[in-house]
Amino acid sequence: MSKVVKIGKLNIGGGNKIAIQSMSTLKTADTVGAIEQCQKLERAGCDIFRFSVTDEKDAKAFSELKKHVSMPLVADIHFDYKLAIAAIDGGADKIRINPGNIGSEERVKAVADALKTNGVPVRVGSNTGSIEKEFLKKYGKNEISLGESALKNVAILEKYGVDNIVISVKASDVPLAVKAYEYIAKKTDYPLHLGVTEAGTEYNGVIKNSIGIGSLLLNGIGDTLRVSLSADPEREVVAARAILSAVNKLDDMVKIIACPTCGRCEWDCMGFAKKVEDYVKDVRKPLKIAVMGCAVNGPGEAADADVGIAGSKDCVVIFEKGKIVQKVTGEDVEKEFFRRIDECIR
Ligand code: SF4
């Protein structure tokens, strides 16, 4: 079991709920847009949101963002230790920085002191583009060099008394990312931030993330995750929720079962499934809904659904736990089915 790390009001690790993260596409100093994006992301189910800090203005913006946003905010800093300290002072709940990139021991110590004084955790890590030269030379580009690079950064912080750490070891290559997380999970009990980096555009990116993150979660590895996509951050959160739900790690999401349809399908099952998906997208309840192509096999195939619908010759049937409870035709279909869903949600 991993250690618990507190990020603002949220605990991750130690068997806590797996936190969903995403990252802003906006300039942090654009506080009006940033606040709007945070609120949208929070509604979509995001637990932790990260902003890049490229200058003093970005670092200072955290104090304004924190007035309007309740989810924990992370400051992402590349090299500048002063920006790291300014972001912590500004109220960032966590920072993302590699101490190996900060420079002198004094600078690392200054950041470590700011982290400890403010009780702010830090994520350190590696990706295939940032493997430490010594490990690259010794092991080549593999899970060992990725893991050891991350652990080296952990050791630098531990030297200065920081133990509030989250680790990532990201790769774009899915098998390598999985091996790297498996490697580091054996070496540390700090919480792990899962991700397949530079995964690509939405369709392919979701597939890569689902396989990588999904297989790790099924093996009990991972405490928080980001589904990196070349898409709007909201889509990352939607995908993260779907991945967590698919591996039964999310119990406040509606699961929709829909059949692939076949020659027995007697209505617009696919179109209706999309409507249902849209109708329940903001519902945070453990509910199973089935949308099936035919009344002959549908109710039986989806017998564990709380409520379901299936096509019949001249009508559709609504069923609950496999038993048909209502027959509906025409315009009433949508209204009646959504009414049944509402009853289940209540
Ligand atoms: S529920 Fe009916 S339409 Fe859907 S796949 Fe099964 S048999 Fe085909």
Side-chain angles (χ1 to χ4, degrees), residues 203-251:
Y203 181 81
N204 286 312
V206 167
I207 290 173
K208 286 176 78 174
N209 276 284
S210 304
I211 295 168
I213 292 173
S215 60
L216 288 163
L217 291 173
L218 285 172
N219 284 319
I221 296 173
D223 303 283
T224 179
L225 62 92
R226 177 189 179 195
V227 176
S228 300
L229 298 175
S230 296
D232 189 282
E234 190 179 5
R235 302 304 300 162
E236 295 191 344
V237 174
V238 170
R241 290 183 63 79
I243 293 171
L244 285 171
S245 173
V247 293
N248 294 342
K249 300 274 185 195
L250 191 70
D251 46 20

Side-chain angles (χ1 to χ4, degrees), residues 32 71 82 102 107 135 140-141 206 242 244 263 281 327 339:
V32 175
M71 73 177 150
K82 282 189 187 152
I102 295 176
R107 290 177 178 188
F135 299 121
K141 196 183 278 185
V206 167
L244 285 171
K281 73 177 190 320
K327 289 186 178 176
R339 184 181 63 78

Side-chain angles (χ1 to χ4, degrees), residues 74-123:
V74 184
D76 187 297
I77 296 121
H78 275 166
F79 305 105
D80 192 330
Y81 82 108
K82 282 189 187 152
L83 291 182
I85 294 168
I88 295 167
D89 288 343
D93 297 293
K94 178 182 165 202
I95 64 164
R96 162 78 185 106
I97 195 166
N98 272 344
N101 293 337
I102 295 176
S104 69
E105 297 259 324
E106 290 76 36
R107 290 177 178 188
V108 175
K109 184 177 178 308
V111 174
D113 287 347
L115 289 169
K116 286 187 289 176
T117 308
N118 293 280
V120 169
V122 54
R123 171 158 70 95

Side-chain angles (χ1 to χ4, degrees), residues 91-211:
D93 297 293
K94 178 182 165 202
I95 64 164
R96 162 78 185 106
I97 195 166
N98 272 344
N101 293 337
I102 295 176
S104 69
E105 297 259 324
E106 290 76 36
R107 290 177 178 188
V108 175
K109 184 177 178 308
V111 174
D113 287 347
L115 289 169
K116 286 187 289 176
T117 308
N118 293 280
V120 169
V122 54
R123 171 158 70 95
V124 304
S126 57
N127 61 50
T128 37
S130 71
I131 297 174
E132 302 273 337
K133 279 198 190 100
E134 58 174 301
F135 299 121
L136 203 53
K137 203 169 156 206
K138 195 166 170 190
Y139 304 112
K141 196 183 278 185
N142 62 15
E143 67 276 18
I144 305 173
S145 55
L146 271 166
E148 292 302 325
S149 288
L151 291 171
K152 187 181 169 184
N153 279 287
V154 170
I156 296 172
L157 286 171
E158 284 177 333
K159 187 177 159 192
Y160 293 100
V162 176
D163 60 357
N164 221 359
I165 300 171
V166 181
I167 305 176
S168 58
V169 278
K170 295 187 177 185
S172 182
D173 180 85
V174 175
L176 176 55
V178 170
K179 278 194 236 159
Y181 278 104
E182 285 169 347
Y183 178 85
I184 200 136
K186 288 193 195 117
K187 300 247 168 185
T188 182
D189 60 359
Y190 286 118
L192 298 181
H193 167 119
L194 303 184
V196 174
T197 194
E198 292 118 30
T201 50
E202 189 164 351
Y203 181 81
N204 286 312
V206 167
I207 290 173
K208 286 176 78 174
N209 276 284
S210 304
I211 295 168

